[in-house]
């Protein structure tokens, strides 16, 4: 059983994006079923196809790419209130290119993506919800790309500490380093310099 009401969190999160009629909201909530994964478990493996979309209620997820030589690079972290999925894989019906794993024990709600797509085609309120979700993802992606290209590693780390203030202390340093595009040794040097300043 979820420690907090996942359905209420989903309801509030979606209502912040757009007004949703009660019957539409209830139909949406009915599609999603609660699930739980312990820490360090895989939600979706790279190379797999998926038919599920999720909503994180509690916990922490990491999305990462695995190179041919076994090195992984963190794409992003997922916090409570975020939607979970390999969106390109879902939209194009192709294997996902990245892996999604839990970093903490994680409660989430999950639905069949095709059922969710049918529901969201039924009422114009969902156009605004999905547009706002897509806009949010686009803004995050653009900010991340510009940071990787324009900011130095110290600035990227300081931004990480702001963006993930509530969970930065529980994320392993090598995951943070891979998210920042630097080595763990470089991250240790940056952390030491910031402590000494």
């Amino acid at each position: 059983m979820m420690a907090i009401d996942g359905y209420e969190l989903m309801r509030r999160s979606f209502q912040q994006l757009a007004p949703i009629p009660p019957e539409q909201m209830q139909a949406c909530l009915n599609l999603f079923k609660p699930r739980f994964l312990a820490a360090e478990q895989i939600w979706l493996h790279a190379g797999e196809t998926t038919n599920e979309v999720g909503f994180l209620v509690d916990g922490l997820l990491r999305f990462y790419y695995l190179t041919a030589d076994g090195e992984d690079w963190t794409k992003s972290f997922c916090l409570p209130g975020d939607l979970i999925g390999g969106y390109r894989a879902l939209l194009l019906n192709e294997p996902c290119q990245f892996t999604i794993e839990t970093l903490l024990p994680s409660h989430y709600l999950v639905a069949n993506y095709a059922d969710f797509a049918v529901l969201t085609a039924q009422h114009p309120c969902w156009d605004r919800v999905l547009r706002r979700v897509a806009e949010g993802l686009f803004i995050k992606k653009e900010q991340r790309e510009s940071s990787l290209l324009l900011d130095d590693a110290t600035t990227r780390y300081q931004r990480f500490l702001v963006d993930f203030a509530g969970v930065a202390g529980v994320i392993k340093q090598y995951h943070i380093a891979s998210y920042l595009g630097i080595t763990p040794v470089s991250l240790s040097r940056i952390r030491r310099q910031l402590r000494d300043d």
Side-chain angles (χ1 to χ4, degrees):
M1 182 165 175
M2 293 188 193
I4 61 174
D5 186 345
Y7 292 103
E8 183 57 29
L9 179 60
M10 176 182 270
R11 182 192 308 274
R12 288 196 318 262
S13 297
F14 282 1
Q15 288 286 8
Q16 288 175 350
L17 299 174
I20 302 170
E23 69 279 2
Q24 285 292 310
M25 180 60 78
Q26 192 56 54
C28 176
L29 297 179
N30 289 344
L31 293 178
F32 285 82
K33 306 302 178 201
R35 298 257 181 91
F36 173 82
L37 278 177
E40 300 182 0
Q41 301 294 306
I42 301 299
W43 193 78
L44 176 65
H45 286 275
E48 291 180 345
T49 55
T50 179
N51 64 355
E52 291 184 334
V53 62
F55 177 86
L56 187 61
V57 175
D58 189 35
L60 177 64
L61 305 181
R62 181 175 78 108
F63 294 40
Y64 68 91
Y65 295 102
L66 193 62
T67 65
D69 60 2
E71 192 172 9
D72 74 61
W73 291 98
T74 300
K75 173 185 185 298
S76 60
F77 298 100
C78 181
L79 301 172
D82 288 342
L83 287 173
I84 314 165
Y87 301 114
R88 177 181 167 188
L90 287 167
L91 293 171
L92 300 179
N93 193 28
E94 64 182 28
C96 190
Q97 293 186 315
F98 54 83
T99 295
I100 303 175
E101 72 168 340
T102 59
L103 296 183
L104 296 174
S106 298
H107 292 94
Y108 58 97
L109 300 171
V110 66
N112 180 280
Y113 178 73
D115 294 340
F116 184 65
V118 168
L119 170 73
T120 57
Q122 292 176 0
H123 194 281
C125 70
W126 296 112
D127 289 338
R128 183 165 182 199
V129 169
L130 296 178
R131 188 182 81 239
R132 297 281 304 276
V133 168
E135 288 169 352
L137 291 171
F138 178 81
I139 290 167
K140 276 185 181 177
K141 179 177 170 50
E142 186 172 302
Q143 286 174 334
R144 177 141 165 76
E145 287 173 352
S146 66
S147 182
L148 285 169
L149 292 170
L150 302 174
D151 294 336
D152 61 42
T154 300
T155 302
R156 291 199 302 273
Y157 178 61
Q158 290 171 319
R159 176 67 188 228
F160 167 83
L161 293 176
V162 171
D163 291 345
F164 298 99
V167 295
V170 301
I171 299 174
K172 293 176 180 172
Q173 294 303 298
Y174 63 89
H175 290 332
I176 296 173
S178 76
Y179 176 76
L180 299 174
I182 60 178
T183 66
V185 171
S186 295
L187 177 57
S188 293
R189 187 179 310 117
I190 290 167
R191 286 163 51 87
R192 189 167 54 251
Q193 287 170 347
L194 290 173
R195 279 196 305 268
D196 294 343
D197 287 348

